Amino acid sequence: MTTTVAKDAMRKGDKTVIAEGTRMIPIYVMGKRYFVPETLTIQKAMEYAGYQFIRSCGCRGGICGACATVYRLEGDYKLYSGLACQTVVQPNMYLVQIPFFPANKVAYDIEKLPYDVTAIQTTYPETFRCVQCNACTKVCPMDLQVMDYMAAAIRGDIEAVAEMSRSCIMCGLCTSRCPAETNQYNMAELCRRLYGRYGQKKSQQVAKRVEEIKAGKYDPMIEELQSLPLEELKKRYEEREWEPVMSEGWEPKETKYL
Amino acid sequence: MAYTPEMKELIKRVEATRPERVERVKQGIQFPKLSLEESQRRLKTYHPDYKEEGRREFKIGPNKGDGHSYPDEVVDLFEAKSRIDPEIVDLSKPDYETDVLIIGGGGAGTTASLFAQENGMKVIIATKLRHGDANTIMAEGGIQSADSTKDSPYYHYLDIIGGGHFTNKPELVKVLTLDAPLIIQWLESLGMNFDKTPDGEMRLLAGGGTCRKRMHSCGDVTGAEIMRTIRDEARNRRDDITVLEYQPAVEIILDEDGKAAGALLYNMETEEYTIVKAKAVIITTGGCGRLHIQGFATTNHYGATMDGIVMAYRCGVPHCFLYATQYHPTGAAYPEQNVGLLITEKMRTAGAQPVNIDGEEFTFPLEPRDVESANIIRECMDVGKGIPTPVGRIGVWLDTPMIDMLRGEGTVEHDFPAKYIQFKRYGIDISKEPLLVYPTLHYQNGGVEANEWGETKIPGLFVAGEVLGGIHGENRLMGNSLLDINVYGRRAGIRAAEYVKEGITLKKLTLEHVRAYHKELKEAGIETDRISPMLLPDYSNPEVRAKQLTARYFGTLR
């Protein structure tokens, strides 16, 4: 059965304009059938169907991990997943949202952990139960190579875990599928922090600037700006020297305020 | 969905001018910046803030008669009753007691919790959705800090105050620029990942309106990386920091002396109200994109509904600069599923130019955000060189393939991983095809009035983050909000702890200010059934709603 929706089926605010003649398709929300415009994302389709979200809705832009959803298509044994705010509905999709999945988050003191595999062994020892089944990678809505970073963790390659999990939104889908009951995303968070704390070198320039500020070097310069008449302040603003986009080797001419 | 054949045909015009534009950028030639005078003219003609219709003045409260007119969507929240009738609340039996209550579990609130805890406080964070569900997690491009050898807080200050049209509160700007490197160092020490050179120095980029490169980033997930890091740290300190999720505050509670004394929370799942008694309260509720001012789409989080300013206003705390709203120049205008999605300014700092239907440049790519937005609106509405979409929207191209041509093959995919996948899902490869963009509601420039420690006029009531007004004046620059949530979160956390340690004795708790507010509404002749804070926007389908014959809506919630 298909029907069309009127052109004025626009909704205030997060308006999705539904073009005239848009086909209506059946989707099954937790087994219950609704007809929705085929162009909508799962999130907007559920709102169209009458749902008002409290859970399972966050940034509505694919980065917060609140709306993880798993689904199957009729006649297909495979399990699919996606973010409800990013995934367009398909005919006869059977979906359920995972608004929360319990995960083990260990409390630790970053100052007291070593920068090697023992940091993982002492916090998330279950990581080493990984059976390399790849269910986590298959379910990841961000297309991360989750199983590969688990392997990197087991090898103690903390930097690789950090790099490979960079776009993790911590939605929990990997954890929900893990037969070894690991907590991939919390372990990866630990590794990113270890990498940032110990793997990446500290910026000497930032440290130097902090000391200069503490010594009061810039106070008089800012006070000078604060004491200027508006016209003079505007003049300084307009006459700022502009660092070019490709600025290799560029040096500012004015140096007394550096 | 992938670009239509018609749009693909139009993209050829962009491709035709691209090599020459890339060559010019390499030589350092860009479309000229507008003068201050011309910028003002453009803003007055094209920026949505300068439209006269759909705005009105405040008739009640501390901002009554302040000479500004505000968007109707904003004023509606203040000309509204509390969710709760003060008569039916028993304040004598608090459900929780703590030193510091933080309302809002985003970046500012979480930073405040860490510094309050380090200073000996027991902290409760009450948050509307999950811990970390906030605009912070969506911020992409970077965080400013003047620490390069070619830069200094002097230039950072000039950029901020010029970008804000010289309206910013100077003391707030000063603190922001001078605390910035300290914050970067703090985030480093917590283990935040930055884009660095192998020797540990920052790979800096420029931002709109910044005369030097001072954007520190982590790919295009900078805000998410900050939020993940500080939230993880707050969870490490769970003995002292308790997080109450799905439990937004609906009113601040004062004591009989007029000091902040806690808040009334609403459990959105069980629908019960609970009372937190606290010696100090920090409001960190963020912004207001979900009010959809003038019907604009927004980049903001689901919960961005201005709750904190409403609650503080009922206590008698004024707001400032709420008449100025930030429209991000580049929100996605296609495909329909991504409309409103933030396209980070970092795309333009990396070299992508906005171009019109003929593939021509029409604006300096890195004007301050309000001017850049005005230029894009002008190109579409007045010059007539916008690109229409199949459903009748309009936008201009953001020529992202330039980035790989300028910085090497693979840069887009590596530096903008989140954006790359968000469009790849719909069959658009943004390293090879341009994006279609149009301004989108992005930031609440104004907020609650407070000093450089986040202190409001109510003793014990602090604010930090987007809810604090005056730092950015009428217009914020890129990379200064991730900075301000941390700078002011830290300051509010420290000062709240100092305040509590001075020895605070709370008198009897009261919601008398809410009663007084209701009275003032009545006396001003405002008869309304509107309810605020809004808590969540209303995206319900009117056709379904018409058939919900026994449902009762209280404000936007059922």
mmCIF file of all heavy atoms in Angstrom, chain A residues 33 36 43 49 57-58 86 105 120 131 143 166 194 227-228 239 248 257-258:
data_model
loop_
_atom_site.group_PDB
_atom_site.id
_atom_site.type_symbol
_atom_site.label_atom_id
_atom_site.label_comp_id
_atom_site.label_asym_id
_atom_site.label_seq_id
_atom_site.Cartn_x
_atom_site.Cartn_y
_atom_site.Cartn_z
ATOM 1 N N ARG A 33 3.632 -2.011 13.033
ATOM 2 C CA ARG A 33 3.751 -1.403 11.716
ATOM 3 C C ARG A 33 3.253 0.048 11.676
ATOM 4 O O ARG A 33 2.220 0.381 12.245
ATOM 5 C CB ARG A 33 2.953 -2.227 10.702
ATOM 6 C CG ARG A 33 3.192 -1.777 9.260
ATOM 7 C CD ARG A 33 2.471 -2.684 8.282
ATOM 8 N NE ARG A 33 1.022 -2.479 8.371
ATOM 9 C CZ ARG A 33 0.142 -3.084 7.578
ATOM 10 N NH1 ARG A 33 0.567 -3.920 6.641
ATOM 11 N NH2 ARG A 33 -1.148 -2.870 7.722
ATOM 12 N N VAL A 36 5.238 5.405 6.802
ATOM 13 C CA VAL A 36 6.000 6.664 6.915
ATOM 14 C C VAL A 36 6.551 7.056 5.544
ATOM 15 O O VAL A 36 6.741 6.192 4.681
ATOM 16 C CB VAL A 36 7.165 6.515 7.922
ATOM 17 C CG1 VAL A 36 6.661 6.202 9.316
ATOM 18 C CG2 VAL A 36 8.141 5.451 7.462
ATOM 19 N N GLN A 43 14.757 8.290 12.778
ATOM 20 C CA GLN A 43 14.365 9.186 13.867
ATOM 21 C C GLN A 43 13.146 10.031 13.498
ATOM 22 O O GLN A 43 12.162 10.102 14.234
ATOM 23 C CB GLN A 43 15.547 10.095 14.191
ATOM 24 C CG GLN A 43 15.346 10.958 15.404
ATOM 25 C CD GLN A 43 16.686 11.488 15.891
ATOM 26 O OE1 GLN A 43 17.309 12.290 15.228
ATOM 27 N NE2 GLN A 43 17.126 11.006 17.028
ATOM 28 N N ALA A 49 5.455 9.044 13.005
ATOM 29 C CA ALA A 49 4.494 8.026 13.432
ATOM 30 C C ALA A 49 3.825 8.375 14.761
ATOM 31 O O ALA A 49 2.833 7.752 15.132
ATOM 32 C CB ALA A 49 5.191 6.677 13.533
ATOM 33 N N CYS A 57 17.595 9.910 21.597
ATOM 34 C CA CYS A 57 17.676 11.088 20.757
ATOM 35 C C CYS A 57 18.659 12.042 21.411
ATOM 36 O O CYS A 57 18.546 12.321 22.599
ATOM 37 C CB CYS A 57 16.303 11.739 20.620
ATOM 38 S SG CYS A 57 16.315 13.165 19.544
ATOM 39 N N GLY A 58 19.633 12.514 20.651
ATOM 40 C CA GLY A 58 20.627 13.414 21.232
ATOM 41 C C GLY A 58 20.949 14.544 20.280
ATOM 42 O O GLY A 58 20.192 15.471 20.117
ATOM 43 N N GLN A 86 20.631 9.155 11.214
ATOM 44 C CA GLN A 86 21.421 9.167 9.982
ATOM 45 C C GLN A 86 20.961 8.127 8.963
ATOM 46 O O GLN A 86 21.387 8.142 7.823
ATOM 47 C CB GLN A 86 22.900 8.884 10.311
ATOM 48 C CG GLN A 86 23.540 9.904 11.205
ATOM 49 C CD GLN A 86 23.825 11.197 10.467
ATOM 50 O OE1 GLN A 86 24.510 11.219 9.451
ATOM 51 N NE2 GLN A 86 23.266 12.288 10.957
ATOM 52 N N LYS A 105 32.574 0.446 33.251
ATOM 53 C CA LYS A 105 33.494 1.587 33.191
ATOM 54 C C LYS A 105 34.300 1.574 34.482
ATOM 55 O O LYS A 105 33.759 1.765 35.571
ATOM 56 C CB LYS A 105 32.705 2.894 33.017
ATOM 57 C CG LYS A 105 33.384 4.171 33.524
ATOM 58 C CD LYS A 105 34.640 4.575 32.754
ATOM 59 C CE LYS A 105 35.351 5.703 33.513
ATOM 60 N NZ LYS A 105 36.800 5.678 33.331
ATOM 61 N N ILE A 120 46.109 -1.773 30.377
ATOM 62 C CA ILE A 120 44.863 -2.397 29.916
ATOM 63 C C ILE A 120 44.572 -3.654 30.745
ATOM 64 O O ILE A 120 43.440 -3.900 31.149
ATOM 65 C CB ILE A 120 44.954 -2.740 28.416
ATOM 66 C CG1 ILE A 120 45.257 -1.468 27.604
ATOM 67 C CG2 ILE A 120 43.652 -3.375 27.913
ATOM 68 C CD1 ILE A 120 45.653 -1.719 26.162
ATOM 69 N N VAL A 131 37.540 -12.968 21.168
ATOM 70 C CA VAL A 131 37.709 -14.165 20.337
ATOM 71 C C VAL A 131 37.830 -13.798 18.853
ATOM 72 O O VAL A 131 37.758 -14.661 17.986
ATOM 73 C CB VAL A 131 36.543 -15.161 20.550
ATOM 74 C CG1 VAL A 131 36.566 -15.671 21.970
ATOM 75 C CG2 VAL A 131 35.194 -14.517 20.220
ATOM 76 N N ASP A 143 31.612 2.658 11.174
ATOM 77 C CA ASP A 143 32.528 1.892 10.309
ATOM 78 C C ASP A 143 33.940 1.795 10.879
ATOM 79 O O ASP A 143 34.919 1.764 10.131
ATOM 80 C CB ASP A 143 32.598 2.503 8.889
ATOM 81 C CG ASP A 143 31.291 2.340 8.135
ATOM 82 O OD1 ASP A 143 30.402 1.636 8.656
ATOM 83 O OD2 ASP A 143 31.157 2.910 7.043
ATOM 84 N N ARG A 166 39.341 6.852 16.900
ATOM 85 C CA ARG A 166 39.198 8.317 16.963
ATOM 86 C C ARG A 166 37.749 8.796 16.811
ATOM 87 O O ARG A 166 37.294 9.693 17.499
ATOM 88 C CB ARG A 166 40.070 8.966 15.883
ATOM 89 C CG ARG A 166 39.989 10.481 15.812
ATOM 90 C CD ARG A 166 40.796 11.185 16.882
ATOM 91 N NE ARG A 166 42.210 11.071 16.628
ATOM 92 C CZ ARG A 166 43.086 10.558 17.511
ATOM 93 N NH1 ARG A 166 42.665 10.147 18.680
ATOM 94 N NH2 ARG A 166 44.361 10.489 17.227
ATOM 95 N N LEU A 194 45.439 7.550 27.515
ATOM 96 C CA LEU A 194 46.844 7.194 27.763
ATOM 97 C C LEU A 194 47.732 7.740 26.651
ATOM 98 O O LEU A 194 48.818 8.271 26.904
ATOM 99 C CB LEU A 194 46.995 5.670 27.842
ATOM 100 C CG LEU A 194 46.452 4.994 29.098
ATOM 101 C CD1 LEU A 194 46.427 3.480 28.902
ATOM 102 C CD2 LEU A 194 47.288 5.367 30.331
ATOM 103 N N SER A 227 42.144 50.295 27.443
ATOM 104 C CA SER A 227 42.121 51.731 27.737
ATOM 105 C C SER A 227 41.958 52.582 26.470
ATOM 106 O O SER A 227 41.797 53.788 26.552
ATOM 107 C CB SER A 227 43.422 52.134 28.447
ATOM 108 O OG SER A 227 44.498 51.993 27.533
ATOM 109 N N LEU A 228 41.981 51.945 25.296
ATOM 110 C CA LEU A 228 41.909 52.728 24.059
ATOM 111 C C LEU A 228 40.507 53.272 23.807
ATOM 112 O O LEU A 228 39.522 52.596 24.101
ATOM 113 C CB LEU A 228 42.290 51.845 22.857
ATOM 114 C CG LEU A 228 43.735 51.392 22.718
ATOM 115 C CD1 LEU A 228 43.859 50.474 21.497
ATOM 116 C CD2 LEU A 228 44.671 52.576 22.575
ATOM 117 N N GLU A 239 43.553 47.086 11.167
ATOM 118 C CA GLU A 239 44.926 47.048 10.644
ATOM 119 C C GLU A 239 45.716 45.807 11.069
ATOM 120 O O GLU A 239 46.923 45.736 10.864
ATOM 121 C CB GLU A 239 45.666 48.326 11.086
ATOM 122 C CG GLU A 239 45.144 49.558 10.346
ATOM 123 C CD GLU A 239 45.724 50.864 10.878
ATOM 124 O OE1 GLU A 239 46.481 50.805 11.873
ATOM 125 O OE2 GLU A 239 45.403 51.903 10.311
ATOM 126 N N GLU A 248 53.679 28.842 5.555
ATOM 127 C CA GLU A 248 55.031 28.343 5.843
ATOM 128 C C GLU A 248 56.036 29.485 5.708
ATOM 129 O O GLU A 248 56.098 30.154 4.670
ATOM 130 C CB GLU A 248 55.406 27.225 4.856
ATOM 131 C CG GLU A 248 54.567 25.949 4.995
ATOM 132 C CD GLU A 248 54.701 25.296 6.351
ATOM 133 O OE1 GLU A 248 55.836 25.087 6.785
ATOM 134 O OE2 GLU A 248 53.658 25.034 6.985
ATOM 135 N N TYR A 257 53.889 42.976 20.290
ATOM 136 C CA TYR A 257 52.796 42.394 21.075
ATOM 137 C C TYR A 257 52.869 40.865 21.117
ATOM 138 O O TYR A 257 51.916 40.211 21.512
ATOM 139 C CB TYR A 257 51.446 42.838 20.517
ATOM 140 C CG TYR A 257 51.220 44.331 20.624
ATOM 141 C CD1 TYR A 257 51.211 45.134 19.489
ATOM 142 C CD2 TYR A 257 51.023 44.936 21.874
ATOM 143 C CE1 TYR A 257 51.010 46.498 19.586
ATOM 144 C CE2 TYR A 257 50.823 46.302 21.982
ATOM 145 C CZ TYR A 257 50.822 47.081 20.838
ATOM 146 O OH TYR A 257 50.621 48.429 20.950
ATOM 147 N N LEU A 258 53.981 40.310 20.656
ATOM 148 C CA LEU A 258 54.066 38.842 20.641
ATOM 149 C C LEU A 258 54.530 38.305 21.990
ATOM 150 O O LEU A 258 55.170 38.979 22.755
ATOM 151 C CB LEU A 258 55.009 38.378 19.538
ATOM 152 C CG LEU A 258 54.498 38.617 18.123
ATOM 153 C CD1 LEU A 258 55.535 38.208 17.098
ATOM 154 C CD2 LEU A 258 53.199 37.853 17.865
#
